[in-house]
């Protein structure tokens, strides 16, 4: 049962709903991965990497709320439960224990690369059915790409 009437056709709603749900999973997991690395990073660049990781967490959490609220606005139930995120994520898991600053940067660059690639696919598929959702995805991808650039520059 949906209490919200969607402005989209049933087929468009399915496509856009899947894109939004996938984006939500990626953003929730990205925030968790970045926070896990944040707590465990060590090394000479500890402080700068530690602070950059918090920036990623803030970005991912803000955008996950926007994505979930967009899903709700078009009549799709967002699902950010831990079991759903664990089952559907494409981000590699973070190793246990302390993570050297260089390893932390690599892990985050890899995670951002996966998420950005999937977001770009979602941008393409939402073009015709829902430009509003596409705009949200474009905006959040731009922010993620900025973080990826900053972390890549950290490892140059």
């Amino acid at each position: 049962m949906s209490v919200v009437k969607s402005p989209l056709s049933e087929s468009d709603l399915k496509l856009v709903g899947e894109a939004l749900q996938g984006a939500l999973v990626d953003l929730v997991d990205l925030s968790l991965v970045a926070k896990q690395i944040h707590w465990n990073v060590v090394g000479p660049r500890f402080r700068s990497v530690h602070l950059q990781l918090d920036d990623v967490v803030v970005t991912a959490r803000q955008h996950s709320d926007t994505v979930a609220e967009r899903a709700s606005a078009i009549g799709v139930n967002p699902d950010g439960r831990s079991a759903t995120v664990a089952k559907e994520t494409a981000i590699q898991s973070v190793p246990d224990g302390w993570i050297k600053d260089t390893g932390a940067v690599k892990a985050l660059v890899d995670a951002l690369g996966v998420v950005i690639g999937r977001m770009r696919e979602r941008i393409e598929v939402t073009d015709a059915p829902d430009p509003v959702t596409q705009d949200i995805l474009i905006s959040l991808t731009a922010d993620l790409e900025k973080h990826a650039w900053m972390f890549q520059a950290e490892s140059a």
Side-chain angles (χ1 to χ4, degrees):
M1 172 189 100
S2 178
V3 296
V4 177
K5 173 125 174 72
S6 178
L8 304 177
S9 71
E10 197 170 313
S11 61
D12 286 350
L13 183 62
K14 181 179 180 342
L15 186 88
V16 173
E18 288 171 359
L20 287 166
Q21 178 58 37
L24 179 60
V25 164
D26 285 349
L27 291 166
V28 169
D29 198 30
L30 180 62
S31 73
L32 294 171
V33 164
K35 201 49 137 166
Q36 182 65 25
I37 296 170
H38 167 89
W39 292 323
N40 291 285
V41 65
V42 295
R45 293 180 300 162
F46 163 80
R47 183 161 173 73
S48 64
V49 173
H50 184 78
L51 294 172
Q52 276 183 281
L53 288 161
D54 264 344
D55 290 344
V56 173
V57 172
V58 168
T59 296
R61 287 179 179 169
Q62 287 173 340
H63 283 297
S64 65
D65 193 50
T66 301
V67 164
E69 288 177 356
R70 176 64 185 158
S72 293
I74 63 169
V76 173
N77 295 105
D79 186 354
R81 296 174 296 167
S82 59
T84 301
V85 173
K87 185 173 86 174
E88 296 177 9
T89 189
I91 300 173
Q92 292 287 322
S93 100
V94 176
D96 291 343
W98 304 115
I99 304 169
K100 183 97 171 99
D101 52 5
T102 54
V105 168
K106 182 182 178 340
L108 206 45
V109 167
D110 291 347
L112 285 164
V114 167
V115 173
I116 289 166
R118 289 166 50 111
M119 291 301 179
R120 285 187 159 272
E121 291 170 5
R122 294 178 185 116
I123 288 167
E124 284 186 39
V125 300
T126 56
D127 177 34
D130 189 18
V132 175
T133 293
Q134 184 192 45
D135 186 54
I136 290 168
L137 296 173
I138 289 169
S139 176
L140 76 88
T141 302
D143 287 347
L144 295 177
E145 287 177 349
K146 183 176 179 181
H147 286 299
W149 157 59
M150 290 183 172
F151 274 100
Q152 289 173 48
E154 186 78 36
S155 63

